[in-house]
Amino acid sequence: MKIVVCIKQVPESNQVKLDPVTHNLVRQGVAGKINPFDRHAIQAALAIKAQVGGEVIVISMGPADNEYCLREGLAMGADRAILLSARAFAGSDTLATGYTLSQAIRKLGAVELVFFGRQAVDADTGQVGPIVAEFLGWPQLTLASSLTLKDRRLEGMRRLGDLEQTVALTLPAVVTASNDLNQPGYLQPRMIKASFQQEITVWQETDLAADPLRLGVSGSPTVVRKVMAPQRKQQETVFLATDPQQAALDLHAALHAKNLI
Amino acid sequence: MTKIPEVWIFAEQQLGQIEPTVFQLLTRAREIAPRFKVVAVLFETPTQHLAATLAEYGPDKILVVQDPRLAQVADAEQATLLAHLVQRDQPNSFLFGATALGRSLAPRLQAKLQTGLTADCLALHFEDELLVQTKPSYGDNIMCEIVCPDKRPQMATVRPNTFAAQKVEPDRSRPELEVVTDLPWPEVAHFQIIAEKKVATPQTGLSQAKRIIALGRGAADAASKTVARSWAQKIDAQIGVTRPLTDGGGFSVKDQIGQSGQTVAPELLFCLGISGAVQFLSGITNAKVIVAVNPDPQAAIFSVADYGFVGEANGFLTALQQVDQRKQAALK
Amino acid sequence: MVDLTAAQLMLHQMVREFSEKEIRPNDMAIDQQRFFVNGIYQKLIDNGFLGLMLPEQYGGAGFDAIATAQTIYDLAVGNASVAVTLEGHYKTLDQLLKYGQPSLLERYLPSANQRIFAFSMTEPSGGSDHSTLGSTAVRQGENWVLNGNKIMITNGGLAEVYCVLVKTAPEEFSVFLIDQNMPGFKFGKRENFLGLTGTPIAEIFMENIVVPADHLLGKVGQGHEIGDSAHADARILMGAVAAGIIEHELEIAVAYAYQRKSGQFRLTELQAIQRKLADIALAKETTTLLYQEAAALKQQRRPYAEVAAMAKTHGSRQAVRAGDDALQILAGYGYSLDYPVEHLIRDARALEIAEGTVEKMRGEITKLEVATRI
C-alpha cells in the first residue's frame, strides 16, 4: 500500500519573541525540527505498512532546509522523501498548502492513505489535513485516537469533546493522528546516520501540473497584517467582597460566564 | 438595496447539547457586529428542537437544517450542506468554535468555498466589513493579526472559552427562524459512523487536569479538606497540594504541585490556604484562571491570582457551594 | 563553539529529548536509590546509546568524537551518573578500536551495542601510577593467564567486558580484554561513594583467567600508552559531564532567582546574586569550549591530551564551585536533601578525582608545556 505522510518543519523552540525595534521574529536557535505531532502520523503509517506492506512516503513543503524534517521521517523508518520546494510556493496559507500537497499526492498516483499530525506546533491550525481530504474528495478521520485496518476498511475512533465516535472509512482516506494514537519512540542513532545517505526528491510547481493562481501568495486568501507580542495581561487581581456570601455569589457568576463551572 | 451583512455561527451540538462555545460566539458576534445580522446555523434531527436554547443568546436569525440523517453525519456531509447554505445566502463571515469538530469541519468547508480560514482565534473585530482576526502562533508566544480581504465568507475558528457568554433579556430576543428541510443530501460514500457514546472525561493526572483545587498549609484542617473534596467532585476538579501537605494526611508527593512536584496547566485553579512560595508558583505559571483564598492580604499568591478572597478557605468554599446549589436548583 | 552537522544536530535533539523525558525526571531517584531506576539502563540499550560511536561495521551508528562528547553533555544535563556510565563505555571502545586486533573486534564489538565495556587500571596498591601494579598476565602457549585484583572500576558489576592493565614482565605493562563469563572471573564489592551514586564503582578478581592471544590490545609493553590514551579520551567526556552538571546548576539557580523576591526585587536584580549567576554561566561556557575544542582536535587527528586534561581540570572545579554558588542562591532549598543542588555538588566532586586527579593532570599539562617549549 502506498502511504503518504505530510509533515512540516517547525522551529526547534517555540520561544520566539518579537524584536522590539524591527518587529521581526527572533527565533531562539536557528535549527528546525519535525513538527512533534507529525511523528505520531509517521508512526501510524509505519504501523499500517508493517501490517499490509507497501511503502511510506514523507512529503514536506518549504525551503530547501526543510529536507531536515524529511530526514527525521526517514530516520523513523519512512521509505522515501519528497520535498516540495519552489519560489512559487512561498507565502502559502493553509488553502494554498493544501492544494499543493494534494497535487503532489495526485502526481504520486495510487496513494491510498494520507496521514497528517493533528496540527503544527508553530502555526497551530490543523487545517491542512481536512483541506487535502476535500481537494482529493476523500473521507477523513480527524484526531484519530485508534486505528485498525481490515481489508480496505479503516476503523478508528476520535473524541469530539465528551463524545467518542467510532467510524469506518473505505480507502482512500485522510487521517489526522491524535497524540493518543501511538507513542513514537526515539530516533535510533543508526537510523539518523542512515537517513543522511538517502536521496530526497525535490518537486517544483512545474512537476505538479498545478494552477499557478492557486499556489503561494496568489493562492492564499488570508493575509497576515501584523505580528505582535501577546499582551501579557497586567495581573489585576479582582478582590472579592469581604462577606463570604457576596464573594461567593460574585465569583460564581464570573466563573459561570467564562464557562469554567 | 444593499443587503445587511450576515455573521454566521455554526451551532455545534453533541447529542442534543449545544457546545458552550456557540453561546460565547453569539454573544461576541452581537458585540462586534451590532449592525450585522447574527445568524446561528443549526443542524438537528426533526425531534431535537434546539433553536430555543440558541435564542436565549440573541441571534437575529436561526437557520435550522432538519434531517433525521443528521443524527450521524460525516464531516464531509456537513461541509457540503453548509456550502449549499453559504452559496445561497452569501454571508460575510462564518465562525466556528475551535473544537475538535469545528476544526475538522471548517477547513473542509473552506476548501469547498476556496476562501480564507483562520484557526483558533483569540480576538475578533470588524473594520467595516473586514473581519480582523487575531490568532496565536508558536504556542501563544506570538499573536498574528489576519484578514481575508478578497474572499467571502471570512472564516474563523475561535478558541473555546475566549469570550464570556451572556444571555439576553427573554423578551428582547425574537430571532427569525428558518427551517430548511429540502437540501439535497450529499451522501458520502466510504464513511460510516459505527458508534457514538458520551464518555466522562478520563481521570488523568494533575498535569492534565482542567480544574484543580490546590490546598496549602492554611487549608490542611479536616474541615477544609472535606469541603474542598466535595467542591472538587461537583466541578470535576482534581486536588493538588503544596509540599508541606505531602507528608501523610491522605496526600503524597504525587499530589504535589510545584518545582519538586508537578507542573500544572488547568483552566481553573483554586489556591486555598496557599501563601505562594516560589517553589509552588513555578508549577502554576500556565494556569489560566486562578482563584486565591488566604487570610493574609499580603500573601504572594494574590499577585498571580485573577480573583482573590481574603479570608478562610472553609467558610468561603462552603458559601460557594451553597450558591452553586441554589443556581442548580433554579435551573431545574 | 563547534558547529554541528545536520546528522549531529538530529542526534543532539534526540538525546536532549531523551534526557529531558527519561532521565531528568529520575535524577533525584537515581541519586537516592543509587541505581538507574525505572529501566533507564535498558532504555539506553534499546535506543542505541551503547553503539553510538561504534562503527557501522560492528552494528553501531558510527558517530564521531564531537557528537559523542555532545551526547555525554546532553545526558549529563539530565543526570551525571548516566553520562559517566556511558563515558566509561565509550572510552573503552575507543581503545579497542585503536589497539584491538581485528579478530577480537569482530568477535566482541557487535555485543558492545548491548553490553557495557569497562576499562580498568587501578589496584589497591595505586591508581594512575602503574609501577605498583600487582596483576599479571603470563604467556602459556598460545594463551595468556591473568591473575590479580582491580578496584574502583567505573561500571564495575554493570559492565560485562573489561579491559585490564596488567604486568607482563617486570616494568612491562599490557592491556587484555576479559569477559565476565570466563572461568576465574569474580566480582568484588561495590564502593560506597559520595556522588555519582547511580554509576556502580566496583572491584573484580581474576583467578587464572585464560584468554587467547588476540585478547592482547596492541603489543606487549604498550600498556602505558593505551592507559594514557584511555585517560585522554575519558577526560574529553568528563569535561562534557562537568559542563552538563553546570548547565543543570545554572538552570536551577536562574529559575529560582528569577521567581524569588527579596522585598520588591527579584533576586536576579541584586548584584550579589548577579555575580554568582554570571559566574555559573561563565563556568558553563568555558568548560563547554574546552571539551568541544578537545573533541574537535581529536576528530582532526591532532594532539588532544593536553586540552582534554584542561577540560576536566577546569570543568570539575567549576562544576563544584558553580554548585556551591547555586546552593547559596537557593539558600535553605539549596541545602535541602529534597532538592537537587546538593547532589550536583557531590556528583561534580567526583570529577576532580576520576580519570586522574586534577593534581596529576596539572602535572601532565605542565609536562606537555615543557616538552613543546623547551
Side-chain angles (χ1 to χ4, degrees):
Chain A
M1 181 183 294
K2 208 185 246 185
I3 307 166
V4 165
V5 188
C6 297
I7 65 176
K8 183 177 184 188
Q9 186 156 321
V10 297
E12 192 176 7
S13 157
N14 262 345
Q15 296 306 312
V16 290
K17 295 209 161 61
L18 282 185
D19 184 306
V21 181
T22 64
H23 296 286
N24 289 328
L25 283 184
V26 184
R27 290 179 179 181
Q28 298 266 311
V30 288
K33 63 172 184 188
I34 189 171
N35 171 38
F37 292 126
D38 296 346
R39 301 201 294 198
H40 296 275
I42 297 174
Q43 185 79 7
L46 293 170
I48 298 283
K49 180 193 156 182
Q51 186 191 335
V52 298
E55 65 169 342
V56 173
I57 305 162
V58 282
I59 301 185
S60 184
M61 185 176 110
D65 69 1
N66 275 33
E67 72 160 61
Y68 184 81
C69 73
L70 291 169
R71 294 204 188 278
E72 287 190 85
L74 294 171
M76 281 187 73
D79 298 284
R80 59 188 172 110
I82 299 168
L83 177 65
L84 309 178
S85 193
R87 249 172 204 287
F89 301 153
S92 294
D93 70 1
T94 54
L95 189 71
T97 304
Y99 173 69
T100 313
L101 287 171
S102 62
Q103 289 303 106
I105 291 162
R106 279 182 211 281
K107 179 184 164 82
L108 273 170
V111 173
E112 297 196 78
L113 198 46
V114 178
F115 282 98
F116 286 82
R118 58 171 297 164
Q119 68 205 60
V121 294
D122 56 351
D124 270 333
T125 78
Q127 288 171 187
V128 178
I131 291 171
V132 167
E134 184 59 39
F135 283 146
L136 295 171
W138 295 358
Q140 70 187 30
L141 170 57
T142 52
L143 299 170
S145 56
S146 77
L147 206 59
T148 51
L149 180 72
K150 279 190 208 118
D151 301 322
R152 289 178 49 79
R153 192 177 132 102
L154 200 59
E155 207 175 294
M157 295 212 281
R158 70 168 174 179
R159 274 293 288 274
L160 302 175
D162 292 339
L163 191 72
E164 193 175 72
Q165 249 184 3
T166 309
V167 304
L169 305 85
T170 311
L171 301 183
V174 170
V175 176
T176 73
S178 83
N179 295 1
D180 301 327
L181 184 55
N182 51 43
Q183 281 295 324
Y186 299 95
L187 296 181
Q188 291 281 339
R190 258 178 86 81
M191 296 288 282
I192 292 175
K193 254 309 182 50
S195 76
F196 283 86
Q197 315 298 325
Q198 283 174 265
E199 284 292 322
I200 286 178
T201 308
V202 180
W203 283 349
Q204 304 188 337
E205 75 276 22
T206 44
D207 296 305
L208 295 185
D211 174 356
L213 289 176
R214 295 180 66 183
L215 297 175
V217 174
S218 44
S220 298
T222 58
V223 177
V224 179
R225 212 165 60 162
K226 200 157 73 174
V227 179
M228 307 161 282
Q231 295 186 331
R232 300 264 172 241
K233 84 172 170 193
Q234 201 55 40
Q235 190 59 54
E236 295 245 338
T237 307
V238 177
F239 277 97
L240 301 163
T242 47
D243 167 37
Q245 295 301 326
Q246 187 59 47
L249 207 58
D250 295 345
L251 181 67
H252 196 277
L255 296 182
H256 191 71
K258 292 186 178 172
N259 191 38
L260 288 167
I261 53 173
Chain B
M1 190 189 94
T2 47
K3 184 173 164 264
I4 299 174
E6 293 183 1
V7 182
W8 284 19
I9 286 141
F10 180 66
E12 177 182 346
Q13 60 132 324
Q14 282 164 10
L15 305 180
Q17 290 252 313
I18 301 283
E19 152 69 32
T21 313
V22 175
F23 304 136
Q24 299 158 11
L25 287 177
L26 287 172
T27 306
R28 184 62 184 163
R30 290 177 53 247
E31 289 163 4
I32 61 169
R35 277 183 271 283
F36 293 5
K37 194 164 167 181
V38 175
V39 181
V41 180
L42 172 67
F43 285 0
E44 65 177 5
T45 63
T47 57
Q48 280 183 315
H49 309 300
L50 297 169
T53 323
L54 292 169
E56 294 176 7
Y57 294 86
D60 299 299
K61 176 179 173 181
I62 303 174
L63 177 54
V64 188
V65 176
Q66 277 183 354
D67 193 303
R69 287 167 292 196
L70 283 167
Q72 288 193 332
V73 58
D75 295 353
E77 291 166 342
Q78 297 196 71
T80 306
L81 292 171
L82 289 172
H84 279 306
L85 297 171
V86 168
Q87 274 147 7
R88 191 194 74 173
D89 292 357
Q90 307 282 323
N92 164 284
S93 313
F94 203 163
L95 309 179
F96 292 73
T99 59
L101 182 65
R103 297 182 77 157
S104 304
L105 201 51
R108 278 204 91 119
L109 177 61
Q110 171 204 14
K112 278 184 192 298
L113 302 172
Q114 300 271 321
T115 184
L117 169 65
T118 305
D120 205 26
C121 294
L122 291 179
L124 297 170
H125 71 271
F126 277 100
E127 290 173 4
D128 296 326
E129 294 193 12
L130 187 69
L131 181 64
V132 182
Q133 309 151 59
T134 304
K135 91 170 285 294
S137 284
Y138 299 101
D140 296 2
N141 281 310
I142 292 289
M143 294 291 151
C144 300
E145 203 174 271
I146 293 179
V147 292
C148 176
D150 303 321
K151 298 288 181 75
R152 295 291 179 274
Q154 307 167 81
M155 293 180 62
T157 62
V158 181
R159 187 178 293 186
N161 304 329
T162 301
F163 305 114
Q166 193 71 51
K167 288 186 187 177
V168 295
E169 302 283 322
D171 55 340
R172 298 193 53 180
S173 176
R174 285 190 207 84
E176 173 191 338
L177 188 71
E178 182 191 352
V179 180
V180 180
T181 52
D182 57 353
L183 281 184
W185 187 263
E187 196 67 58
V188 171
H190 315 307
F191 184 94
Q192 177 199 354
I193 293 174
I194 297 171
E196 279 187 328
K197 65 171 180 201
K198 208 118 183 156
V199 284
T201 317
Q203 280 295 317
T204 48
L206 267 184
S207 60
Q208 304 289 321
K210 294 255 184 278
R211 298 188 186 93
I212 293 175
I213 296 173
L215 305 176
R217 229 191 283 259
D221 58 295
S224 296
K225 281 190 205 166
T226 307
V227 68
R229 283 211 171 89
S230 110
W231 179 237
Q233 201 168 19
K234 181 145 280 165
I235 64 168
D236 194 21
Q238 302 219 27
I239 295 201
V241 296
T242 60
R243 191 160 148 259
L245 270 72
T246 57
D247 297 334
F251 299 110
S252 68
V253 181
K254 72 172 176 39
D255 305 307
Q256 185 195 334
I257 297 170
Q259 195 182 32
S260 57
Q262 304 218 46
T263 301
V264 299
E267 282 164 13
L268 177 61
L269 172 67
F270 282 85
C271 296
L272 307 177
I274 291 172
S275 58
V278 174
Q279 304 298 331
F280 176 77
L281 294 183
S282 69
I284 64 165
T285 46
N286 290 324
K288 298 257 163 46
V289 174
I290 298 174
V291 179
V293 180
N294 197 299
D296 174 12
Q298 300 302 319
I301 193 73
F302 287 122
S303 69
V304 301
D306 297 87
Y307 299 98
F309 176 75
V310 180
E312 295 297 337
N314 186 0
F316 178 74
L317 222 48
T318 307
L320 191 59
Q321 289 219 60
Q322 287 162 355
V323 170
D324 192 63
Q325 269 162 14
R326 286 205 303 276
K327 297 269 181 194
Q328 297 288 334
L331 278 177
K332 282 164 193 159
Chain C
M1 179 69 191
V2 172
D3 264 339
L4 298 179
T5 65
Q8 289 170 342
L9 181 67
M10 198 179 289
L11 179 76
H12 158 62
Q13 287 176 343
M14 181 280 283
V15 177
R16 196 176 51 181
E17 184 185 341
F18 183 90
S19 186
E20 281 171 9
K21 288 193 184 152
E22 309 292 339
I23 299 179
R24 173 60 72 78
N26 294 303
D27 174 53
M28 294 286 288
I30 290 171
D31 175 65
Q32 286 159 3
Q33 297 177 42
R34 305 177 87 83
F35 81 108
F36 297 133
V37 297
N38 288 331
I40 286 175
Y41 180 56
Q42 191 58 43
K43 284 179 190 167
L44 290 170
I45 296 172
D46 294 345
N47 287 291
F49 279 92
L50 270 52
L52 190 115
M53 44 71 76
L54 204 58
E56 281 98 330
Q57 66 187 106
Y58 303 115
F63 276 101
D64 68 10
I66 292 166
T68 306
Q70 178 74 45
T71 297
I72 292 292
Y73 165 82
D74 287 322
L75 293 172
V77 175
N79 174 272
S81 291
V82 172
V84 167
T85 280
L86 285 176
E87 171 269 326
H89 178 64
Y90 292 157
K91 80 159 177 207
T92 309
L93 297 187
D94 257 336
Q95 308 327 307
L96 283 167
L97 291 167
K98 250 186 260 185
Y99 298 102
Q101 301 179 34
S103 56
L104 178 75
L105 301 191
E106 272 160 38
R107 285 206 310 283
Y108 270 85
L109 284 188
S111 78
N113 289 292
Q114 275 85 39
R115 48 185 199 159
I116 295 267
F117 285 37
F119 199 95
S120 163
M121 290 190 258
T122 307
E123 298 197 0
S125 56
S128 301
D129 175 12
H130 308 150
S131 59
T132 60
L133 288 187
S135 297
T136 57
V138 178
R139 192 178 265 282
Q140 193 177 73
E142 288 300 296
N143 299 326
W144 290 88
V145 181
L146 278 72
N147 278 287
N149 174 207
K150 306 299 272 183
I151 62 164
M152 296 203 187
I153 306 167
T154 301
N155 294 324
L158 185 68
E160 298 180 30
V161 177
Y162 294 78
C163 292
V164 290
L165 180 74
V166 295
K167 251 183 200 168
T168 36
E171 297 309 310
E172 183 189 81
F173 303 95
S174 307
V175 176
F176 291 87
L177 179 141
I178 57 175
D179 191 311
Q180 66 163 5
N181 299 322
M182 292 173 168
F185 184 105
K186 272 208 302 229
F187 286 115
K189 78 170 175 64
R190 180 176 167 173
E191 299 295 338
N192 195 15
F193 274 166
L194 180 69
L196 291 179
T197 54
T199 303
I201 309 290
E203 67 178 336
I204 60 168
F205 295 97
M206 301 175 284
E207 287 172 18
N208 296 319
I209 297 180
V210 181
V211 298
D214 67 357
H215 281 232
L216 171 70
L217 270 62
K219 301 190 189 75
V220 165
Q222 222 176 350
H224 274 320
E225 181 194 327
I226 299 173
D228 287 349
S229 164
H231 269 146
D233 290 328
R235 288 166 190 169
I236 300 175
L237 303 182
M238 283 305 205
V241 174
I245 292 175
I246 302 172
E247 167 62 21
H248 192 173
E249 291 162 343
L250 184 60
E251 178 190 319
I252 293 169
V254 171
Y256 183 87
Y258 181 75
Q259 296 248 353
R260 182 78 176 190
K261 284 190 175 168
S262 171
Q264 56 181 319
F265 296 107
R266 295 182 188 279
L267 294 192
T268 45
E269 292 166 330
L270 304 179
Q271 283 191 343
I273 303 295
Q274 288 171 346
R275 157 115 207 212
K276 289 185 169 56
L277 289 174
D279 281 355
I280 302 174
L282 181 58
K284 188 210 141 187
E285 210 58 32
T286 51
T287 303
T288 302
L289 287 170
L290 278 169
Y291 91 71
Q292 288 187 340
E293 169 74 359
L297 287 170
K298 177 179 171 180
Q299 195 53 41
Q300 294 158 14
R301 301 184 184 286
R302 291 159 65 191
Y304 60 92
E306 184 178 357
V307 182
M310 289 174 173
K312 192 182 102 81
T313 309
H314 178 75
S316 57
R317 175 84 313 236
Q318 292 303 315
V320 174
R321 204 191 49 77
D324 194 46
D325 280 345
L327 187 154
Q328 192 65 20
I329 292 170
L330 269 77
Y333 294 115
Y335 199 59
S336 165
L337 296 183
D338 292 343
Y339 290 88
V341 180
E342 61 85 22
H343 93 249
L344 296 180
I345 301 175
R346 287 189 278 112
D347 289 352
R349 197 62 185 77
L351 306 185
E352 296 194 287
I353 299 161
E355 307 292 4
T357 62
V358 289
E359 290 76 13
K360 183 165 189 297
M361 278 186 298
R362 284 201 164 83
E364 289 179 23
I365 291 167
T366 306
K367 208 166 83 187
L368 286 162
E369 286 298 328
V370 170
T372 52
R373 288 168 194 278
I374 292 169

